[in-house]
Amino acid sequence: MKKISLKSPFGILLFVILPLSIILMFSGIRLDLTKEKRYTLSESTIKVLESIKKPVTVDVYLEGDFPASFKQLQSETRFMLEEFRKINPKIDFKFIDPIKTKMSQDTLMAMGMQPSVLPDNKDGKITQIYLFPYAVVKHGQNGASIPLVVQQANINADEQLRKSIENLEYNLVSNIKAVTTNQRKKVGVLVNQDELRPEEFQGFMNLALESYDAGPVIPKNNVELTLADLPLLKQMSALVIAKPRKAFTDGEKVILDQYIMNGGKTLWMIDAVNAEMDTLTRSKKVMPFPVDINMTDFFFNYGLRINPALVKDVKKFALLKLVTGEVGGNPQYTSLPWPYFPLGIAENNNPITKNINPVKLEFPTSIDTLGGKKFKTNVLFESSERTLLKQVPNYVELSEIASVDSLGQMEKPSTPKIFAVALEGKFSSAYASRIERQNYPGFKATSPENKMIVIADGDVGRNKTHKGEPLPLGVDRLTDEQFGNEQFLRNALDYLLDDSNLMELRNRNIEERLLDRHRISEEKTNWQWFNLLLPLVIIGLLGGLFFWLRKKKFG
């Protein structure tokens, strides 16, 4: 019998591909041949999973009869959790059908799950399917509900599914890390500079408390930050300064400078102009004026300048609901464009802003990046190309809503303006060559690798209130819209405090490789015959080859 050459196609198939396939099948090893490494866990995820010492259970409420798109999400979730379990057997999971197990909607909603309602057309009859696409992570007494579907407005179902799958690894591993971490990081909220009131900041505190220990930082002397406050500040991994309206003293700026030089992260929400919507609604006009918090030189040290001029975006804006008439004694409301409430819309792949709803800003100003610094500056949000600047002091009137793109008094067209930036790198102290350093024990001139976020709007973190009760952050009660302020600030905190580099997972892109629907329609019959006959042809060829080899050997 003639020997089969290893270099021949049949030899490669028989002696290389077939044995390799058998080995991979029984060993459980998988080869990820996708361009974007879709089925390969990141090093950051592996490190988090390997650090888990006690059992973790993940209950996934994606079981039952539902559309094919959710079947794909179910399959991707199952695969991801199987990969997690391979890294650490202490991670277990199960899929639950809440309808079959007769779990009430009230019970599921009490666990933090909101239902997804989908239409189902069977035999000409349209019914509704209630789904709860969530996973619940449990670790000892700790637990968290994880939405598996990205909640983003103005995208179709296919895009929503793709974004949900892109976000799946980050969503699961970040929550697993949160519930398995024994010592949570501390986030301090500065309370000394006439910041937002507690009821206006309750939404932010709620989101911060989901993953961190958050609480107020109040100067011991109730006047200003001093050296006596250093022990408390050193406990804080991040410090939040939300809409300060009282000027910082020079001594406080040294304290904050050294907090940053010692590795403290900071999240700034700054109003450079005082303009309140409540006053405008009551009196139909308001006179905004600059707010000087004595921080110009402080931010200049980080290559930033916050300008005291209102930004009007006549292309990307939120709607303002106003009474425009009356019928039978009942007021008639109309939602109208309001350029003083521009929207922060993600236009790059920054993990802080990716896959979130537009962020609502109220009377924001702008940030100039001055350059010349050694650290990295990332723009998070900026206005559109149709931007106007209004110098202050100057009147803002509700009547401007009738002609949003016309130039008013002391207004001028402008290039896109920056609303928010993220800084990362090694920062240098503004007081390295100044006499103030002598009054600070253990003064540091440079920081370790550090991060900072600056937003030119103090109201981005303010939740509305109704009858004295705080509403969820980002909810507009009048227009009934859900903006992305909550998710943006949650991502901002996670970015500042992410020591596992998990935020980079939010930048994962899954390329859609869709079939040509036109060709499918035209060539459907051909491909059906091809799929039917090809196996028969292969079997026939193999049978013929076997018969020929047998005849050649035995004559």
Side-chain angles (χ1 to χ4, degrees), residues 272-555:
V273 170
N274 182 57
E276 298 296 337
M277 197 64 207
D278 292 343
T279 305
L280 181 62
T281 304
R282 289 194 303 268
S283 60
K284 309 304 179 185
K285 66 178 182 180
V286 66
M287 173 71 82
F289 56 86
V291 176
D292 183 10
I293 59 172
N294 192 31
M295 294 292 280
T296 302
D297 58 338
F298 186 92
F299 288 118
F300 187 84
N301 180 63
Y302 298 98
L304 305 177
R305 180 172 56 224
I306 303 177
N307 300 304
L310 292 174
V311 177
K312 297 173 62 177
D313 193 328
V314 298
K315 182 179 179 181
K316 301 186 300 186
F317 47 73
L319 298 176
L320 191 62
K321 197 169 186 178
L322 298 173
V323 177
T324 55
E326 186 176 307
V327 176
N330 296 318
Q332 301 299 301
Y333 292 91
T334 305
S335 295
L336 299 169
W338 187 236
Y340 292 101
F341 285 4
L343 296 178
I345 298 176
E347 296 176 335
N348 51 42
N349 277 333
N350 192 290
I352 303 174
T353 59
K354 186 177 180 182
N355 292 345
I356 65 174
N357 281 338
V359 173
K360 183 182 179 183
L361 307 168
E362 299 186 6
F363 296 113
T365 58
S366 63
I367 300 173
D368 287 342
T369 54
L370 307 176
K373 300 296 181 180
K374 296 181 180 180
F375 47 79
K376 187 177 181 181
T377 301
N378 296 312
V379 175
L380 302 180
F381 291 126
E382 62 181 343
S383 63
S384 73
E385 70 279 3
R386 298 180 61 192
T387 297
L388 305 176
L389 283 185
K390 180 186 277 289
Q391 302 298 323
V392 295
N394 195 358
Y395 277 113
V396 171
E397 303 184 42
L398 274 182
S399 59
E400 295 179 44
I401 210 165
S403 53
V404 296
D405 56 352
S406 62
L407 286 175
Q409 186 179 12
M410 296 175 63
E411 292 183 4
K412 62 178 182 178
S414 172
T415 55
K417 292 298 182 182
I418 298 171
F419 294 133
V421 296
L423 312 178
E424 55 180 296
K426 293 183 178 181
F427 303 140
S428 298
S429 171
Y431 300 91
S433 59
R434 294 172 57 172
I435 195 171
E436 287 92 337
R437 64 176 295 166
Q438 298 179 3
N439 299 323
Y440 193 100
F443 181 90
K444 285 190 175 182
T446 58
S447 76
E449 288 292 330
N450 206 342
K451 299 175 182 177
M452 175 190 301
I453 292 178
V454 181
I455 308 167
D457 177 30
D459 294 310
V460 68
R462 180 172 71 170
N463 55 258
K464 306 301 181 184
T465 59
H466 180 58
K467 296 181 180 180
E469 294 297 321
L471 298 174
L473 182 58
V475 170
D476 189 322
R477 185 175 62 87
L478 294 178
T479 61
D480 198 29
E481 288 185 81
Q482 174 67 64
F483 295 99
N485 297 46
E486 179 178 336
Q487 188 60 54
F488 168 56
L489 294 175
R490 177 184 286 111
N491 291 347
L493 280 181
D494 290 346
Y495 161 80
L496 292 173
L497 299 173
D498 178 24
D499 54 6
S500 300
N501 204 32
L502 292 177
M503 282 295 289
E504 288 302 316
L505 294 176
R506 287 182 54 81
N507 268 342
R508 169 166 286 185
N509 289 307
I510 295 177
E511 184 179 344
E512 291 185 289
R513 298 174 176 87
L514 302 177
L515 297 175
D516 188 331
R517 296 185 181 276
H518 182 68
R519 284 191 62 190
I520 292 174
S521 178
E522 287 186 342
E523 304 173 15
K524 179 179 179 181
T525 304
N526 296 338
W527 285 107
Q528 285 177 333
W529 279 109
F530 178 81
N531 290 331
L532 177 65
L533 297 177
L534 181 62
L536 299 177
V537 171
I538 293 174
I539 292 173
L541 290 174
L542 291 175
L545 178 64
F546 176 77
F547 179 77
W548 178 77
L549 292 173
R550 192 170 186 274
K551 183 178 180 181
K552 188 176 178 75
K553 181 176 181 180
F554 298 106

Side-chain angles (χ1 to χ4, degrees), residues 155-303:
I155 58 174
N156 59 39
D158 291 338
E159 182 75 1
Q160 187 178 39
L161 175 64
R162 183 181 65 80
K163 289 179 179 290
S164 299
I165 294 173
E166 284 180 347
N167 205 46
L168 191 58
E169 182 178 346
Y170 171 77
N171 218 0
L172 291 171
V173 75
S174 62
N175 280 277
I176 288 174
K177 180 187 176 185
V179 301
T180 57
T181 301
N182 294 325
Q183 291 187 337
R184 305 207 306 176
K185 293 184 178 180
K186 293 186 177 181
V187 174
V189 179
L190 185 60
V191 179
N192 184 53
Q193 313 298 135
D194 294 337
E195 298 87 358
L196 293 172
R197 301 191 306 272
E199 65 272 18
E200 297 176 317
F201 209 53
Q202 188 60 51
F204 178 89
M205 294 302 295
N206 290 341
L207 73 87
L209 287 168
E210 290 176 8
S211 303
Y212 309 102
D213 289 336
V217 172
I218 304 172
K220 284 194 172 183
N221 61 12
N222 293 318
V223 178
E224 64 176 309
L225 291 172
T226 63
L227 293 175
D229 299 304
L230 291 181
L232 179 59
L233 284 174
K234 288 181 179 179
Q235 297 177 27
M236 303 299 163
S237 300
L239 187 63
V240 179
I241 302 93
K243 197 172 181 175
R245 281 164 283 194
K246 188 181 83 173
F248 288 85
T249 66
D250 292 338
E252 286 180 309
K253 290 195 289 185
V254 178
I255 298 291
L256 293 172
D257 174 89
Q258 287 302 292
Y259 171 77
I260 295 171
M261 292 307 112
N262 281 276
K265 279 67 175 180
T266 46
L267 173 58
W268 301 85
M269 308 176 213
I270 304 296
D271 268 354
V273 170
N274 182 57
E276 298 296 337
M277 197 64 207
D278 292 343
T279 305
L280 181 62
T281 304
R282 289 194 303 268
S283 60
K284 309 304 179 185
K285 66 178 182 180
V286 66
M287 173 71 82
F289 56 86
V291 176
D292 183 10
I293 59 172
N294 192 31
M295 294 292 280
T296 302
D297 58 338
F298 186 92
F299 288 118
F300 187 84
N301 180 63
Y302 298 98

Side-chain angles (χ1 to χ4, degrees), residues 53-228:
K53 305 302 181 186
K54 295 183 179 179
V56 173
T57 302
V58 183
D59 294 338
V60 185
Y61 292 84
L62 261 183
E63 191 68 59
D65 185 19
F66 40 72
S69 59
F70 281 86
K71 288 287 186 183
Q72 183 180 355
L73 180 61
Q74 178 197 53
S75 175
E76 295 282 350
T77 305
R78 188 185 303 276
F79 172 82
M80 188 70 65
L81 291 172
E82 286 173 351
E83 294 298 299
F84 284 9
R85 188 162 57 186
K86 287 180 183 178
I87 300 297
N88 192 333
K90 289 186 172 62
I91 299 173
D92 197 12
F93 65 90
K94 59 182 176 181
F95 280 71
I96 298 173
D97 183 351
I99 305 301
K100 188 175 181 179
T101 55
K102 298 181 180 180
M103 296 183 69
S104 69
Q105 288 194 25
D106 291 340
T107 301
L108 294 167
M109 293 177 71
M111 296 167 64
M113 306 184 201
Q114 297 298 322
S116 295
V117 184
L118 301 175
D120 182 37
N121 191 342
K122 285 186 178 180
D123 301 325
K125 184 179 180 181
I126 298 178
T127 58
Q128 289 183 328
I129 300 176
Y130 285 83
L131 299 178
F132 288 85
Y134 283 78
V136 176
V137 179
K138 301 175 184 177
H139 178 261
Q141 299 298 317
N142 300 326
S145 295
I146 310 169
L148 299 177
V149 177
V150 168
Q151 301 299 320
Q152 188 173 354
N154 302 319
I155 58 174
N156 59 39
D158 291 338
E159 182 75 1
Q160 187 178 39
L161 175 64
R162 183 181 65 80
K163 289 179 179 290
S164 299
I165 294 173
E166 284 180 347
N167 205 46
L168 191 58
E169 182 178 346
Y170 171 77
N171 218 0
L172 291 171
V173 75
S174 62
N175 280 277
I176 288 174
K177 180 187 176 185
V179 301
T180 57
T181 301
N182 294 325
Q183 291 187 337
R184 305 207 306 176
K185 293 184 178 180
K186 293 186 177 181
V187 174
V189 179
L190 185 60
V191 179
N192 184 53
Q193 313 298 135
D194 294 337
E195 298 87 358
L196 293 172
R197 301 191 306 272
E199 65 272 18
E200 297 176 317
F201 209 53
Q202 188 60 51
F204 178 89
M205 294 302 295
N206 290 341
L207 73 87
L209 287 168
E210 290 176 8
S211 303
Y212 309 102
D213 289 336
V217 172
I218 304 172
K220 284 194 172 183
N221 61 12
N222 293 318
V223 178
E224 64 176 309
L225 291 172
T226 63
L227 293 175

